[in-house]
Amino acid sequence: MYTTTDTARPGGIRNAFRRSEAWLDQRGKWAWIAAMVLGFIIFWPVGLALLAYMIWGKQMFARSCGHRRHHDHHHAWGRHAMRAGQPTGNRAFDDYKAQALRRLEEEQEAFETFLQRLRSSKDKSEFDSFMDERARTTAAQDAAEAGAETKPEPGARPGEY
């Protein structure tokens, strides 16, 4: 009869990788970069693997290495946005929410209408001032051309001044 004992830690190599990843995350981006450089110094495929993990795991581009993982749990807006339109079961709150959303939509529509009128009136005033300025310059050019064109004196022969 044989008795066996499980002396190995549960989780195996995956657990060791997770622990080392957590350790590097606690120390920040520079720890990841140092680990990558050491990986290249010791054995270049290890450094290359760390670099690939940092790029494809988005570790290199996060503000801190563990930022993405912790940030996703606190601000999962995508999941909560889908639930915003669903009833909660509290009828009074659902009625209040529907009225508030309807009021906000009406205010948004009124504001967009106001902005559109404001833009069109601004465009119209700019166009009117442009046309007035153009009319003034055209009138000034016509007056200058009329002053330059003098009629020849009576009795003068062509070509004489």
Side-chain angles (χ1 to χ4, degrees), residues 93-107:
F93 177 73
D94 289 340
D95 291 341
Y96 167 76
K97 182 172 73 171
Q99 289 174 356
L101 288 174
R102 191 174 5 211
R103 180 180 50 83
L104 288 172
E105 287 172 357
E106 290 170 358
E107 287 177 4

Side-chain angles (χ1 to χ4, degrees), residues 56-128:
W56 284 309
K58 298 195 186 337
Q59 297 292 333
M60 181 178 271
F61 303 110
R63 276 184 256 157
S64 68
C65 292
H67 175 264
R68 179 180 54 112
R69 192 173 305 108
H70 298 297
H71 184 72
D72 288 344
H73 294 298
H74 295 297
H75 298 287
W77 295 111
R79 287 180 288 168
H80 297 295
M82 296 299 288
R83 294 180 48 204
Q86 296 175 351
T88 61
N90 185 342
R91 188 169 180 88
F93 177 73
D94 289 340
D95 291 341
Y96 167 76
K97 182 172 73 171
Q99 289 174 356
L101 288 174
R102 191 174 5 211
R103 180 180 50 83
L104 288 172
E105 287 172 357
E106 290 170 358
E107 287 177 4
Q108 181 180 5
E109 186 176 320
F111 183 70
E112 288 174 356
T113 304
F114 167 74
L115 285 179
Q116 186 61 35
R117 282 186 310 192
L118 185 66
R119 286 184 194 118
S120 64
S121 67
K122 183 180 176 185
D123 290 344
K124 184 172 177 14
S125 66
E126 287 176 355
F127 179 73
D128 290 343

